[in-house]
Amino acid sequence: MRADRLMAILLLLQRREQVTAAEVARELEISERTARRDLDALGVAGVPVYSVQGRGGGWRLVGGARTDLSGLTAGEARALFMVAGPASSGTPAGKAALRKLVRALPEPFRAQAEAAASSLVTDPHGWGSSRAEPRQPRFLDELQDAVIRGVQVRLGYVDRERSGTERTVHPLGIVAKGPSWYLVATTDAGRRTFRVDRVSSVDPTGEPVHRPADFDLAESWRAIADEVERRRTPLEARAVCPPQALGVLRIGFGDRLEVGGSTADGRIEVVIRGNDELAGELAGLVAYLEVTGPPGVRDRLASIGDVLVARYGPRGNGQKYDGAARS
């Protein structure tokens, strides 16, 4: 909710000539330390906030606390919305604060401020279950600027086979997915997603982007991510487990776990997605679930069981597995 607090602080600065960290803390019911950190964050984001030291000091907006935020340049307004937009897009309070702030901006700044608020989506999970901080690639700023200004770009791109191409694209938004950044854009071949670290050149054409009226970056990315995950995890295993095992399964499989209803004996139906290694993953969880299908996954689990018995059972004597387990 930090983005909501940043906007609330800015609105507070509008209404008063000067505020102290203690006043901000009381208004927002946060600690003074958090208030100081948020005030510093506004400055880092490009908002013209500065501190006055000594007795009677506090924090002010450059140019005075004007209700139209005339102290903000267009770039500074965009910088604020870059910070506030991704987090606020998912919360009613954030959306309400954004609407208030948009009304307070001078008319020439509003379109680009709104574009900045919807230009970026942060998806903290990498592909799979890992989390990592995004690393900023070379052309990220240029592409985000094109999204905000709504201009087409001539894009140089190197695909995974290291083949270079150039094409004109209509940038629609930027997504940070785990450690990677992606450009969502419309092309002559339809909507496409480009890894920003594979972009080799960006040349704005000056022509306006044709943006679908109903386009929503967050919804579009959810559809893209779901499709990628389906391709990465084409296999599905059905299973049942006791309710107390769900926590372990959620930790192990994350978004690949789908929880269903209860069975007559009180167990929970689940579906787990995976790739060719799915049976191996499930084999380590036999104490928590019973796989009911499909037959191919059950057969593979039985093969793994044969190998384990042969190697570690009372008569296995640690014999070497020769790959001849049943299929």
Side-chain angles (χ1 to χ4, degrees), residues 210-221:
H210 299 152
R211 188 182 184 90
D214 60 348
F215 177 76
D216 180 276
L217 180 59
E219 290 182 4
S220 179
W221 178 252

Side-chain angles (χ1 to χ4, degrees), residues 16 28 32 43 56 59 119 130 132 135 156 164 179 187 249 254 261 279 284 299 303-304:
R16 305 182 186 179
L28 303 185
E32 287 191 37
W59 296 79
S119 69
S130 62
R135 298 185 297 271
T187 71
L249 297 182
D299 289 345
S303 296
I304 294 172

Side-chain angles (χ1 to χ4, degrees), residues 25-314:
R26 283 196 301 272
E27 287 275 347
L28 303 185
E29 298 181 349
I30 57 177
S31 68
E32 287 191 37
R33 181 179 179 181
T34 298
R36 292 190 193 95
R37 191 163 55 240
D38 286 349
L39 286 160
D40 286 334
L42 285 174
V44 171
V47 178
V49 177
Y50 70 101
S51 61
V52 178
Q53 303 299 317
R55 172 176 283 187
W59 296 79
R60 298 184 178 190
L61 283 171
V62 172
R66 298 288 186 266
T67 55
D68 64 356
L69 291 186
S70 57
L72 290 179
T73 67
E76 289 163 346
R78 284 166 45 183
L80 173 67
F81 275 73
M82 291 276 289
V83 173
S88 297
S89 61
T91 64
K95 290 178 180 179
L98 276 172
R99 287 194 294 270
K100 291 179 183 177
L101 189 52
V102 165
R103 288 196 296 268
L105 288 171
E107 185 65 37
F109 296 172
R110 293 183 187 177
Q112 289 194 11
E114 289 177 315
S118 60
S119 69
L120 177 68
V121 162
T122 301
D123 184 349
H125 291 282
W127 300 114
S129 59
S130 62
R131 283 175 175 261
E133 290 297 321
R135 298 185 297 271
Q136 181 162 330
R138 178 181 174 189
F139 291 103
L140 179 62
D141 288 342
E142 290 87 343
L143 289 171
Q144 187 137 32
D145 184 67
V147 171
I148 293 170
R149 293 194 296 119
V151 296
Q152 300 176 39
V153 298
R154 186 69 181 167
L155 190 74
Y157 193 71
V158 180
D159 63 21
R160 66 179 63 187
E161 281 77 34
R162 299 187 180 279
S163 298
T165 59
E166 280 196 358
R167 72 197 84 186
T168 298
V169 304
H170 298 245
L172 300 176
I174 302 289
V175 176
K177 172 72 170 173
S180 301
W181 295 83
Y182 295 87
L183 169 69
V184 179
T186 301
T187 71
D188 290 340
R191 193 168 300 168
R192 294 291 184 270
T193 304
F194 303 90
R195 274 185 55 153
V196 179
D197 59 359
R198 292 180 182 162
V199 172
S200 58
S201 63
V202 175
D203 182 20
T205 67
E207 295 296 317
V209 164
H210 299 152
R211 188 182 184 90
D214 60 348
F215 177 76
D216 180 276
L217 180 59
E219 290 182 4
S220 179
W221 178 252
R222 278 193 292 271
I224 293 168
D226 287 347
E227 177 61 25
V228 171
E229 288 292 357
R230 279 193 292 271
R231 292 179 182 177
R232 292 180 69 253
T233 56
L235 299 181
E236 288 189 349
R238 300 182 301 277
V240 290
C241 69
Q244 60 269 27
L246 284 177
V248 173
L249 297 182
R250 287 193 173 101
I251 292 172
F253 297 105
D255 293 340
R256 293 189 287 144
L257 174 70
E258 180 181 331
V259 179
S262 299
T263 63
D265 61 2
R267 291 185 294 178
I268 306 298
E269 296 176 327
V270 297
V271 174
I272 300 168
R273 300 193 315 274
N275 53 28
D276 292 341
E277 303 299 322
L278 180 58
E281 292 182 276
L282 296 172
L285 295 167
V286 293
Y288 298 95
L289 53 74
E290 176 189 347
V291 175
T292 58
V297 174
R298 287 174 56 89
D299 289 345
R300 179 59 183 149
L301 283 167
S303 296
I304 294 172
D306 287 347
V307 174
L308 292 172
V309 170
R311 179 168 296 177
Y312 301 108

